Every structure is written in C-alpha cells, then in structure tokens.
Amino acid sequence: MLDQIVFYFFAALAVISALLVVTRRNVVQSAIFLITALLATAGIFLQLHAEFLFIVQVILYAGGIMVLFVFVIMLINLDVSIHQVQFNRQWWLGLLLALVLGAQLILAVALGRSGLPLGEPAPATALEPSTQLVGRVLFNEYMLPFEIASILLLVAMIGAVVMAKKKV
Amino acid sequence: MIPTSHYLFLSLGLFTIGVIGVVTRRNVIIILMSIELMLNAVNINLVAFSRLVGSAEGHVFAIFVITDAAAEAAVGLGIIIAFFRNRETLLGDEMDLLKW
C-alpha cells in the first residue's frame, strides 16, 4: 500500500513538473521544474530499490547538471528572450507528430504486455546490497565500457572548454 | 506491488513530453532540458526492467546514460554560449547558418 502511494505520488509529480518544464515562458522556472522532475525520478529509483542510482541522480543530475544549466542561464541575458514568441511557427505539426509517437508507444506497451512476462517481479532481496552489486557488475563485465565512458567525459570536458573560450 | 507496465507508461509519458518540448519550443536551453527529460525517462525504463529481472545490469546502463547526459549537457551549453556570443540569439529557428 505504501509502495503504491509513493510510486503514484512521485509519478504524478514527475509528469506535472515535466509538463511545466516544456510550457513555462521563463527559463529559470523551467529549470526549477526540471529539478523537481529529476528529484521525483530519484524517488522512483528509490522505490525500485536502486539506492545507488538514487544518490547518483540527486548528486549528479539535480546537483551538477542543473548548476551548469543555471549558470548558463545567468550568463545569457534573459530579458530579451522572455518577450519573444516561445513556440515554433509549426508547433501544431510538431505537437501532432509527438502525440502520434506517444500513441504508438502506448499501443506498443499495451499490445506487448501480454507477450512479455511482465507479471511477477523478482523478490526485493534479489537486488539487496544494491551498491555492491552495481560495482561488481560495473567492474567485471562492463569494465571496457566504463573506461570508454571516462574517455567520453574527457572529450566532453575539452570540448566544453574549447567551445566556451573567447578566441578559438 | 506495482506492475512493471505502470513504470513503462510513466516512462513513455515523460519521453513524449520531452519530444513535445524538443519539437515545439524555440528556446535552445529549454530544448536541451527536454532532452534531459527524455534521457531520464529511458533511465526509469532500464531500472524498472532491472527490478523485474532481479539483476543489476540495468543500473549499470542507467549510469552510462547519466554519463552521456552529463557530457551532452556540458558540450551543448558550451555551444550555446559560443553561439550567443556570436549571434545574440537563443532561438533555435534562427540558427540557420548552414541553411542556404
């Protein structure tokens, strides 16, 4: 019972704040609602017994990436963009296509639900020392992707510095 | 016990909202934020299936997706700053230097 209350609360919070992210006029308000959506997702991770991902989500997403976003919003002058038209000229076409995509996804899940063994989840103890299990999988089977991810981060760091430099 | 399909419906709802943000908004920063929303929706899917199967591999992939999101945000915001310095605009439909 408590499980369900937690899940539906965080799910509703995530969906509402995601809707507000894409509809607000002010970029700062969008950023704040994006933080709410990410924290609600973190709550869903916790409800799914993914403690390590929960804390990664809070520290890295809500802490790191959002600070980056807010810094860039601060560097860019806001007064001009707030008075401009916020949506594309062809926004109705985009909205229509996005809704068609959403309907297709709903259809796929609703039809595929009977084919997949979606019923009985594994017992909650299967993921018990969550952080330990993640570390074991990450450093055994996924060692090479882990190293490649570190190279990706290095490239992104160099790229960000080069992009934001005054004179290239 | 919440059925896994509910997580899938939540995830596809968030993903669709992200797509709507990407294709309808003009402000580039909000487009980047919508991309973050979409990546986040994918993570919910991965973790929900990981819970269903009872293995930690989905968590590992979610960590890789978060790494990607961080890299993408850093480079994307760098590009936005460089572009704003040159053209004094944040609107995605005015970024048409390659359009003839």
Side-chain angles (χ1 to χ4, degrees):
Chain A
M1 191 61 207
L2 183 67
D3 225 21
Q4 282 159 357
I5 294 172
V6 168
F7 171 69
Y8 291 113
F9 171 72
F10 281 125
L13 193 63
V15 170
I16 291 170
S17 31
L19 277 175
L20 286 169
V21 169
V22 298
T23 50
R24 288 293 89 185
R25 173 171 285 268
N26 194 330
V27 190
V28 180
Q29 288 176 4
S30 281
I32 300 294
F33 284 119
L34 184 58
I35 294 176
T36 321
L38 294 175
L39 288 179
T41 314
I44 286 170
F45 286 164
L46 195 57
Q47 192 263 331
L48 279 166
H49 299 273
E51 290 92 1
F52 182 68
L53 267 180
F54 162 74
I55 207 69
V56 164
Q57 176 96 357
V58 171
I59 293 176
L60 221 121
Y61 250 123
I65 298 180
M66 288 317 295
V67 168
L68 207 61
F69 268 102
V70 175
F71 255 107
V72 170
I73 293 170
M74 189 188 74
L75 287 177
I76 281 164
N77 101 29
L78 204 61
D79 304 333
V80 187
S81 71
I82 234 172
H83 299 295
Q84 283 162 336
V85 180
Q86 294 293 313
F87 291 95
N88 276 331
R89 243 178 313 140
Q90 293 175 322
W91 65 270
W92 51 272
L93 188 60
L95 185 64
L96 187 73
L97 288 176
L99 289 179
V100 168
L101 174 70
Q104 281 178 345
L105 290 173
I106 288 175
L107 204 67
V109 174
L111 290 182
R113 191 159 44 164
S114 56
L116 279 172
L118 284 184
E120 280 302 305
T125 48
L127 288 171
E128 208 34 74
S130 166
T131 313
Q132 198 181 338
L133 273 178
V134 169
R136 199 165 283 157
V137 176
L138 190 59
F139 289 112
N140 283 327
E141 287 115 272
Y142 294 97
M143 195 62 206
L144 185 64
F146 180 74
E147 300 289 349
I148 294 173
S150 69
I151 295 177
L152 171 77
L153 282 179
L154 177 69
V155 170
M157 197 164 70
I158 296 172
V161 170
V162 169
M163 284 292 172
K165 222 164 54 170
K166 275 257 156 58
K167 275 257 162 61
V168 180
Chain B
M1 198 60 237
I2 300 136
T4 307
S5 54
H6 288 202
Y7 293 104
L8 300 188
F9 281 123
L10 167 68
S11 157
L12 73 87
L14 286 177
F15 189 86
T16 310
I17 293 171
V19 173
I20 290 173
V22 169
V23 294
T24 60
R25 293 300 297 251
R26 292 175 84 202
N27 194 322
V28 202
I29 295 181
I30 293 183
I31 291 178
L32 260 185
M33 288 189 201
S34 306
I35 293 175
E36 300 289 332
L37 266 181
M38 288 158 69
L39 290 169
N40 212 45
V42 172
N43 276 348
I44 295 178
N45 242 347
L46 286 173
V47 179
F49 275 118
S50 193
R51 171 87 181 79
L52 177 74
V53 186
S55 94
E57 307 211 340
H59 296 192
V60 172
F61 274 95
I63 290 171
F64 287 140
V65 171
I66 291 177
T67 314
D68 253 14
E72 172 250 320
V75 175
L77 290 170
I79 292 174
I80 288 177
I81 288 181
F83 193 85
F84 185 75
R85 196 178 287 137
N86 288 327
R87 298 283 301 268
E88 294 289 318
T89 180
L90 274 183
L91 302 178
D93 48 3
E94 287 182 13
M95 297 188 171
D96 51 2
L97 287 173
L98 282 180
K99 202 163 126 190
W100 187 48

